[in-house]
Amino acid sequence: MNISTKQIIASIAIGIVIAITSSSLYMVNTGDYYRSIFPFIDNINQFTKDIPQSFPLKPEIDSIFSYDYISSYSYLVYTYAIIISFFTDHFSLSLYSSILKVIYICIITFLFFKLNKNNNKLITAAAYLLSLLPIISSSNLAFFGSFYQEQVLMIFIPLFILSTFKDNILNILIAFISITVIACSKSQFFYIPIIAIAYYCLFNRGQIFIKLPLMIISLVMAIFCIIAATSTVTYNKYHSEYFGIYEYERLNGIVLPDGVDESCVGIDAWGNRFDTSKGVTQTDIGEKCFNQHVDANFKNSLSEFIKHPSIIFMLPFDSGVKSQLTENYFHVYKAMDLIINNKGFYYQLTLMKDYLFKDYRFLILLASLILSLSFRKNELSGLLFIVSTIGCSQFYMAFFGEGYRDMSKHLFGMNFSFDLLLFVSIIYIFRFSCKSK
């Protein structure tokens, strides 16, 4: 990728500084950590901000085949646990987080130098520092202090973009690995290989007869992971219907389909009722609705989108959706912040982004997508296509996959794609402004 030694050293140094100064940022375990860590760590306390940063490894680490939730992220963190088990009997989340942050900043810095065409050191430094701001907010860095699969987006989307600048075998292999890791990490991302295929067909056709089969292999692997993840998909299907599309229709005056249990519309699997101001309110229903509708499926949700195509266009403006459009992530209840120690400089960056873009991220991503398709011969168009297509599609996947349930966090894919859009845009603004002088 033609990265100089000086650039490598500089990126590592910057990564270390960011890792140290953001070391207090972590995330609450909402119950999902278990999926990834149970073979090597006993479960971590849930729904508490009092999380230790070092966890004893199991005396006997379970087999990698013990996972019942198949995820590329689980295999990566498992491999890391096996490696450190030769040197220590504890898993340090601080060290793990720091390593990921350094890798992340290195990849982002390499991408910056790949896009930056300015020879003026002062302007280059200004462009770098400004472009870095959106992607080092607490809303991004905190994910590294967690065991959430969303981490893979921050490493592997920029890495995939880096791989697109040359069509040699190494870069094609990096692209295949990057897309596969993303697609197989979480069911919400399974379709990402399709975006890569579209990108190659529209913008980057070199070695396409090698690239396309590899992307198809990625897609098949991702679909296999979804089929194997039956334990969580059952809840997703229920929420997609009763805590998603039916609740949207109820809120927006659309007649519900025949046979829908209206008493369960807007009730999640644990009996919480959706509330735009509080996130949810508690009821005494418990798991009654979920147990009565275990036959819920994505087909019913999809049929409502087909019967009422206006939903596709109006969803970004829905009051229930807009109530969750924030990078200051919360879990179900708005009072339950997900990011621990969310304060200081990195937090101010998160607040600033919400202040400027809270209600406009999706629309800006959509405009970016349209522009990328309108000016396909422009070198910037391919980059815009990647980030805007992932961002726009993640908006709909978040809602279709689980409705309003925990939508704030599920929109991370859209939010991070938007942050990458800002990163790329700032670099090109400096490029264009310097050319015009």
Side-chain angles (χ1 to χ4, degrees), residues 245 301-309 311-312 315 399-400:
I245 191 64
S301 298
L302 182 60
S303 68
E304 290 306 296
F305 279 96
I306 295 172
K307 285 192 295 184
H308 306 285
I311 296 176
I312 297 173
L315 190 62
F399 185 81
F400 180 76

Side-chain angles (χ1 to χ4, degrees), residues 3-16 102 106 109-110 113:
I3 306 298
S4 71
T5 302
K6 287 183 178 180
Q7 290 170 349
I8 293 173
I9 294 173
S11 61
I12 292 174
I14 294 168
I16 291 173
V102 172
C106 284
T109 303
F110 296 164
F113 284 118

Side-chain angles (χ1 to χ4, degrees), residues 275-300:
D275 184 284
T276 55
S277 61
K278 298 180 180 178
V280 296
T281 55
Q282 287 184 321
T283 73
D284 56 1
I285 295 174
E287 297 183 29
K288 176 184 175 182
C289 283
F290 173 71
N291 292 331
Q292 287 179 343
H293 300 288
V294 291
D295 59 343
N297 59 73
F298 294 125
K299 181 180 177 182
N300 292 340

Side-chain angles (χ1 to χ4, degrees), residues 95-115:
L95 177 61
Y96 170 77
S97 172
S98 296
I99 291 172
L100 291 179
K101 288 173 186 174
V102 172
I103 294 171
Y104 171 59
I105 295 301
C106 284
I107 294 172
I108 287 294
T109 303
F110 296 164
L111 181 56
F112 171 84
F113 284 118
K114 206 68 178 175
L115 298 176

Side-chain angles (χ1 to χ4, degrees), residues 153-182:
L153 296 180
M154 292 188 285
I155 300 291
F156 290 101
I157 292 180
L159 191 59
F160 171 71
I161 294 173
L162 264 176
S163 75
T164 63
F165 289 95
K166 287 187 177 180
D167 289 326
N168 56 40
I169 295 301
L170 175 60
N171 281 295
I172 292 173
L173 181 61
I174 290 173
F176 170 67
I177 293 172
S178 299
I179 293 298
T180 302
V181 170
I182 293 172

Side-chain angles (χ1 to χ4, degrees), residues 173-334:
L173 181 61
I174 290 173
F176 170 67
I177 293 172
S178 299
I179 293 298
T180 302
V181 170
I182 293 172
C184 295
S185 64
K186 191 174 183 180
S187 57
Q188 186 177 336
F189 309 139
F190 85 93
Y191 67 95
I192 297 297
I194 298 175
I195 292 178
I197 290 172
Y199 164 75
Y200 285 137
C201 291
L202 294 172
F203 299 94
N204 190 337
R205 296 188 180 185
Q207 303 282 9
I208 196 166
F209 293 110
I210 298 176
K211 295 171 180 174
L212 293 191
L214 291 176
M215 292 302 107
I216 291 171
I217 292 172
S218 293
L219 181 61
V220 171
M221 293 172 65
I223 292 172
F224 168 78
C225 291
I226 292 176
I227 294 172
T230 55
S231 60
T232 57
V233 171
T234 303
Y235 287 97
N236 294 345
K237 290 176 179 177
Y238 171 79
H239 288 141
S240 178
E241 276 195 52
Y242 279 89
F243 209 69
I245 191 64
Y246 296 157
E247 176 67 351
Y248 172 90
E249 291 177 332
R250 186 188 69 80
L251 289 172
N252 291 276
I254 299 174
V255 178
L256 294 171
D258 293 338
V260 170
D261 181 357
E262 295 190 26
S263 66
C264 289
V265 172
I267 304 295
D268 73 8
W270 296 273
N272 299 302
R273 185 180 299 279
F274 182 63
D275 184 284
T276 55
S277 61
K278 298 180 180 178
V280 296
T281 55
Q282 287 184 321
T283 73
D284 56 1
I285 295 174
E287 297 183 29
K288 176 184 175 182
C289 283
F290 173 71
N291 292 331
Q292 287 179 343
H293 300 288
V294 291
D295 59 343
N297 59 73
F298 294 125
K299 181 180 177 182
N300 292 340
S301 298
L302 182 60
S303 68
E304 290 306 296
F305 279 96
I306 295 172
K307 285 192 295 184
H308 306 285
S310 62
I311 296 176
I312 297 173
F313 302 103
M314 299 307 298
L315 190 62
F317 308 101
D318 170 58
S319 60
V321 168
K322 292 177 75 172
S323 70
Q324 307 211 39
L325 295 179
T326 176
E327 288 195 17
N328 192 19
Y329 297 109
F330 63 89
H331 176 69
V332 185
Y333 293 88
K334 287 191 175 182

